[in-house]
């Protein structure tokens, strides 16, 4: 049997080229080798206020972008987190075995709480819901970036604590992260990872940006004080532009040096813009086709739910049984 993989993206902000090069394209490459569940994690999104109609539209947008990027619904399951009640149910059950001290140490919570006057409990409990997402499907592998590595380690701790208290129940997911795609940094601040939530028109290139906007954003990208590309002394902004080009073009290091050594930054930006526009064009065309057929999109999400919900329900049934809770046996037959 193939090992099961679980990964997800929040339906907030605009998916950008960092999401594509760092996650989506990697998902496409691994989907034939693993049993993949790709989740639109809308329950995570509401840890801060979301305008309801906008959130509904974003859920559909992300689902359509998953498909446009190459996720094959016959190979992988695409699901909306909130459409499977077991996510929230398991999160509560795991909350009851997770010490508050573990959650208080989470770096992401510390950073967010420092920036806000009041912090909702959802942000504090966010890592437990993430653990529930993973453990619900007995996922053996979770392809996440470095920024989520601490949450994955917490998931392991929660799984091992539950198994110690109630007997072997959960697969403990691996902490050695699978190879992920390129790490793309902000175009306005190349020392920070490109983010869906960052403000400012010059920060990111959204997957659905038109060619004129892509060109404008890249031409304003931060570089350094050198007049041309020097692979020995280049700053992080130039390195980021080269990373984007290399990742989209699947170029080797040697090919990059041959093509860009000594190139002036204006010409570098034009070449990167041309590459990005060309690579996003077919994705955007496919997105327009998919989003224009709501019935097709609903069908894909419905098929994904039918495929994975029995696994989720069985996990919750087992957990409730181990904890001594009541559960109607007929509900749990798979």
């Amino acid at each position: 049997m193939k090992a099961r993989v679980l990964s997800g993206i929040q339906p907030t902000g605009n998916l950008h080229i960092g999401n594509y090069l760092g996650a989506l394209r990697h998902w496409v490459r691994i989907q034939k080798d693993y049993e993949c569940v790709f989740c639109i994690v809308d329950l995570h999104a509401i840890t801060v206020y979301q305008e309801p109609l906008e959130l509904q539209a974003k859920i559909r947008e992300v689902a359509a972008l998953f498909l446009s990027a190459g996720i094959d619904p016959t190979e992988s399951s695409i699901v909306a987190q909130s459409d499977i009640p077991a996510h929230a149910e398991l999160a509560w059950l795991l909350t009851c075995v997770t010490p508050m001290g573990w959650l208080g140490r989470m770096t992401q919570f510390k950073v967010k709480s420092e920036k806000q006057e009041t912090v909702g409990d959802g942000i504090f409990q966010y890592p437990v819901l993430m653990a529930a997402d993973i453990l619900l499907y007995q996922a053996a592998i979770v392809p996440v970036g470095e920024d989520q590595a601490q949450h994955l380690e917490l998931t392991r701790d929660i799984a091992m604590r539950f198994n110690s208290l109630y007997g072997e129940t959960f697969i403990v997911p691996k902490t050695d992260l699978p190879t992920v795609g390129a790490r793309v940094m902000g175009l306005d601040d190349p020392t920070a990872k490109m983010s869906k939530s960052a403000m400012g028109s010059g920060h990111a290139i959204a997957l659905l940006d038109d060619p004129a906007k892509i060109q404008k954003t890249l031409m304003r990208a931060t570089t350094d004080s050198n007049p041309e590309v020097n692979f020995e002394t280049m700053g992080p902004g130039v390195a980021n532009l080269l990373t984007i080009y290399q990742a989209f073009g699947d170029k080797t290091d040697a090919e990059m040096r041959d093509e860009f050594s000594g190139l002036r930054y204006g010409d570098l930006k034009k070449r990167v813009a041309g590459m990005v526009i060309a690579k996003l064009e077919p994705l955007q065309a496919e997105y327009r086709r998919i989003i224009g057929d709501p019935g097709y999109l609903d069908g894909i999400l419905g098929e994904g739910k039918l495929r994975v919900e029995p696994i989720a329900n069985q996990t919750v049934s087992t957990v409730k049984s181990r904890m001594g809770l009541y559960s109607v046996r007929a509900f749990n037959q798979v």
Side-chain angles (χ1 to χ4, degrees):
M1 292 180 63
K2 295 179 180 179
R4 189 172 294 134
V5 168
L6 183 284
S7 199
I9 291 179
Q10 287 194 39
T12 55
N14 296 311
L15 264 64
H16 50 65
I17 59 172
N19 299 126
Y20 176 75
L21 296 173
L24 292 176
R25 195 168 70 157
H26 178 60
W27 296 357
V28 172
R29 288 172 174 170
I30 68 172
Q31 64 183 333
K32 291 186 180 298
D33 298 320
Y34 299 93
E35 181 187 345
C36 295
V37 181
F38 298 124
C39 197
I40 303 158
V41 288
D42 48 353
L43 292 176
H44 286 287
I46 60 170
T47 54
V48 295
Y49 176 77
Q50 305 293 332
E51 199 286 317
L53 292 179
E54 183 176 339
L55 178 59
Q56 290 175 6
K58 282 292 181 182
I59 292 168
R60 302 181 69 80
E61 179 181 299
V62 172
L65 283 171
F66 279 8
L67 295 166
S68 304
I71 300 300
D72 183 349
T74 65
E75 294 277 358
S76 305
S77 300
I78 300 174
V79 297
Q81 183 188 28
S82 64
D83 200 29
I84 301 176
H87 282 270
E89 187 171 11
L90 183 59
W92 170 251
L93 299 173
L94 295 182
T95 295
C96 295
V97 300
T98 304
M100 289 181 65
W102 289 5
L103 300 179
R105 291 195 293 269
M106 294 293 102
T107 301
Q108 195 172 92
F109 170 73
K110 291 178 181 178
V111 171
K112 290 186 176 182
S113 60
E114 288 172 357
K115 294 179 180 179
Q116 298 173 211
E117 194 169 316
T118 59
V119 182
D121 185 55
I123 293 177
F124 188 66
Q125 299 292 345
Y126 180 108
V128 182
L129 178 57
M130 181 174 168
D133 298 335
I134 296 166
L135 300 177
L136 188 64
Y137 299 107
Q138 303 288 1
I141 302 173
V142 186
V144 299
E146 293 177 6
D147 55 335
Q148 293 292 330
Q150 188 184 34
H151 288 166
L152 182 55
E153 187 58 49
L154 178 70
T155 298
R156 284 176 51 83
D157 291 340
I158 292 172
M160 289 187 287
R161 178 174 170 82
F162 190 97
N163 290 349
S164 175
L165 290 170
Y166 295 107
E168 290 298 316
T169 304
F170 294 117
I171 291 175
V172 179
K174 291 181 180 178
T175 56
D176 52 323
L177 307 180
T179 301
V180 295
R183 183 176 173 84
V184 179
M185 313 304 282
L187 294 170
D188 56 347
D189 179 6
T191 65
K193 186 178 177 183
M194 190 174 284
S195 169
K196 293 195 286 99
S197 60
M199 303 298 287
S201 59
H203 175 75
I205 295 172
L207 294 181
L208 298 178
D209 280 349
D210 62 59
K213 186 173 182 180
I214 293 171
Q215 180 91 19
K216 182 178 180 181
T217 302
L218 279 166
M219 294 307 292
R220 297 161 111 187
T222 298
T223 52
D224 56 38
S225 59
N226 294 333
E228 59 189 31
V229 177
N230 184 319
F231 280 83
E232 310 308 323
T233 63
M234 63 183 176
V238 176
N240 190 41
L241 291 172
L242 292 171
T243 293
I244 293 169
Y245 187 95
Q246 183 173 18
F248 269 116
D250 292 315
K251 302 284 187 178
T252 66
D253 290 346
E255 288 172 331
M256 292 296 293
R257 283 181 174 269
D258 288 343
E259 183 171 353
F260 289 103
S261 290
L263 193 71
R264 298 190 71 83
Y265 290 158
D267 293 328
L268 164 65
K269 291 177 178 180
K270 289 176 184 177
R271 289 196 192 181
V272 176
M275 174 67 78
V276 173
I277 291 167
K279 293 296 183 178
L280 290 186
E281 183 180 10
L283 181 150
Q284 293 178 353
E286 181 66 2
Y287 172 83
R288 290 191 293 270
R289 184 191 71 80
I290 292 169
I291 207 71
D293 186 353
Y296 173 74
L297 202 53
D298 288 335
I300 294 298
L301 291 171
E303 289 171 9
K305 177 181 179 179
L306 286 175
R307 195 179 300 148
V308 305
E309 192 169 38
I311 301 168
N313 288 342
Q314 182 60 56
T315 298
V316 169
S317 172
T318 300
V319 170
K320 290 167 74 173
S321 176
R322 298 276 165 83
M323 296 180 80
L325 299 171
Y326 176 77
S327 178
V328 179
R329 184 177 299 273
F331 170 80
N332 302 299
Q333 290 179 348
V334 179

